[in-house]
Amino acid sequence: MNKRIADLNRFISEKGLKCTRQRDAVAEVFFSVNGHITAEDLYQKVSRTHPGIGLTTVYRTLKILTEAGLAKERRFEGPQGVFEKEDTSRHHDHLICKRCGKIFEFKDPDIEKLQDAVAEKFDFIVEDHKLELYGLCGNCRKA
Amino acid sequence: MNKRIADLNRFISEKGLKCTRQRDAVAEVFFSVNGHITAEDLYQKVSRTHPGIGLTTVYRTLKILTEAGLAKERRFEGPQGVFEKEDTSRHHDHLICKRCGKIFEFKDPDIEKLQDAVAEKFDFIVEDHKLELYGLCGNCRKA
DNA sequence: ATTGATATTGAAAATCGGTTTCAAATAGGC
DNA sequence: GCCTATTTGAAACCGATTTTCAATATCAAT
């Protein structure tokens, strides 16, 4: 039923590590979230259905998910990192409303082409990029 | 001679705050730096010419500079923030070498036009943006 | 220049997000 | 079931930044 959990457990086994109830629980809740979540919020969410699982384990599981390519850590403004599901076939950028905090996702190949062109001028090869647009969404502009 | 220091002191006075030797010293050193600097490094640099000024004061002054629109805090990877001079008439983006950490700056109006176009699709108006390209510079590719 | 109310200072303590340590519990190959 | 390595949660720790606090400095009103 959950292919990603299977992916995670395959990754864990290949590394000679062990599959545990806690990791499954954290991963399951994480995969049920759409969008972005902090480690702390994920911990709260996990605690509701699986009390007893520690924040430490949440951090450790997020690290494994990241190494497995199933999660990605991002840093927007502020000191706290947020995690989101990684779907390598669907890289995307972010549009963030400064007022209500809503986050939209998008992808634009034309922008990416221009990025590569810019980098080439500096004798640079782009492996990854981060593009965040900050502004006001339609709702907040009316208010 | 230093217009930015004057801008800072005008901002401070308008807020009903007080101009001090320490703030002037921190600001002067900060404005003499090209590119990016951490609070800690700025503190070290300030200490050389103005020993006795505390790290706390450096942080506080950087905060005021940011509120005054004279500095901008950025967060690349890792927990430590870096500050740079804000020059609203010369916004730029960043090209970061994953290996040696070197940072190049660039600006591309074509990319910005495409950004506005994307945002419009979401009924969104862009006020600010952040674009970071991560990759390998020419030197590091050879090594 | 002196005063006095208020903001600023530096050092130390506190906080915050995140990681490490460690003894007890568990997974999973034998 | 046994055995050993991995995992666990709690607590200690860490580095970056903020807050606290008593002493000091600014500056507007004298």
Side-chain angles (χ1 to χ4, degrees):
Chain A
M1 181 183 139
N2 199 327
K3 182 184 167 304
R4 289 168 194 265
I5 300 277
D7 286 346
L8 170 63
N9 286 331
R10 188 179 321 122
F11 176 84
I12 286 175
S13 297
E14 276 169 10
K15 287 253 172 184
L17 303 179
K18 292 173 178 176
C19 302
T20 68
R21 286 173 264 118
Q22 290 92 329
R23 301 220 256 236
D24 277 5
V26 173
E28 197 170 336
V29 175
F30 175 69
F31 290 137
S32 79
V33 172
N34 283 318
H36 312 78
I37 193 164
T38 63
E40 180 66 35
D41 287 349
L42 180 57
Y43 166 63
Q44 297 297 340
K45 226 170 150 60
V46 168
S47 293
R48 290 208 276 279
T49 43
H50 302 78
I53 291 185
L55 178 56
T56 317
T57 296
V58 171
Y59 271 108
R60 286 193 278 227
T61 304
L62 282 170
K63 192 178 228 175
I64 292 176
L65 285 165
T66 303
E67 286 163 5
L70 295 165
K72 175 103 182 149
E73 182 175 8
R74 300 198 172 264
R75 285 178 178 274
F76 297 120
E77 320 238 288
Q80 206 169 175
V82 295
F83 293 81
E84 65 178 19
K85 285 179 268 187
E86 174 76 315
D87 189 337
T88 47
S89 66
R90 249 191 328 152
H91 167 89
H92 59 262
D93 295 307
H94 297 91
L95 194 53
I96 300 144
C97 180
K98 280 174 152 177
R99 195 145 195 281
C100 66
K102 188 176 293 180
I103 300 177
F104 298 95
E105 298 176 351
F106 70 92
K107 178 174 167 62
D108 190 311
D110 292 337
I111 290 179
E112 288 175 17
K113 262 180 227 143
L114 288 178
Q115 288 174 359
D116 291 340
V118 167
E120 206 183 330
K121 281 186 218 160
F122 289 87
D123 187 24
F124 210 95
I125 288 185
V126 176
E127 297 187 341
D128 194 8
H129 76 263
K130 195 190 299 178
L131 172 59
E132 290 154 25
L133 305 181
Y134 294 87
L136 289 180
C137 69
N139 275 346
C140 289
R141 276 211 307 290
K142 280 168 214 146
Chain B
M1 180 181 138
N2 199 328
K3 183 183 166 304
R4 290 168 194 265
I5 300 277
D7 286 345
L8 170 64
N9 286 330
R10 189 178 321 122
F11 176 84
I12 286 174
S13 297
E14 276 168 10
K15 287 254 172 185
L17 304 179
K18 291 172 181 178
C19 301
T20 68
R21 287 172 260 119
Q22 289 92 329
R23 301 222 254 236
D24 277 5
V26 173
E28 197 170 336
V29 175
F30 175 69
F31 290 137
S32 78
V33 172
N34 283 318
H36 312 77
I37 192 164
T38 62
E40 180 65 37
D41 286 349
L42 180 57
Y43 167 64
Q44 297 296 341
K45 227 171 149 59
V46 167
S47 293
R48 291 208 276 278
T49 43
H50 301 79
I53 291 184
L55 177 56
T56 315
T57 296
V58 171
Y59 271 107
R60 287 192 279 227
T61 305
L62 282 170
K63 189 177 229 176
I64 292 176
L65 285 166
T66 303
E67 286 164 3
L70 295 164
K72 176 101 181 148
E73 182 174 10
R74 300 199 172 263
R75 285 182 178 271
F76 297 118
E77 320 236 288
Q80 203 169 179
V82 296
F83 293 82
E84 65 178 21
K85 285 179 268 187
E86 174 77 314
D87 189 337
T88 47
S89 67
R90 248 190 329 151
H91 169 88
H92 60 264
D93 295 306
H94 298 92
L95 193 53
I96 301 142
C97 181
K98 280 174 153 178
R99 195 147 195 280
C100 67
K102 189 175 291 180
I103 300 176
F104 297 94
E105 297 176 351
F106 70 91
K107 178 174 167 64
D108 190 311
D110 292 337
I111 290 179
E112 288 176 16
K113 263 179 225 142
L114 288 177
Q115 288 173 359
D116 292 340
V118 167
E120 205 182 331
K121 283 185 217 159
F122 290 86
D123 186 24
F124 210 96
I125 288 186
V126 176
E127 295 187 343
D128 194 8
H129 76 262
K130 195 191 301 180
L131 172 58
E132 291 155 26
L133 306 181
Y134 293 87
L136 289 180
C137 69
N139 275 347
C140 290
R141 277 211 306 291
K142 281 169 217 148

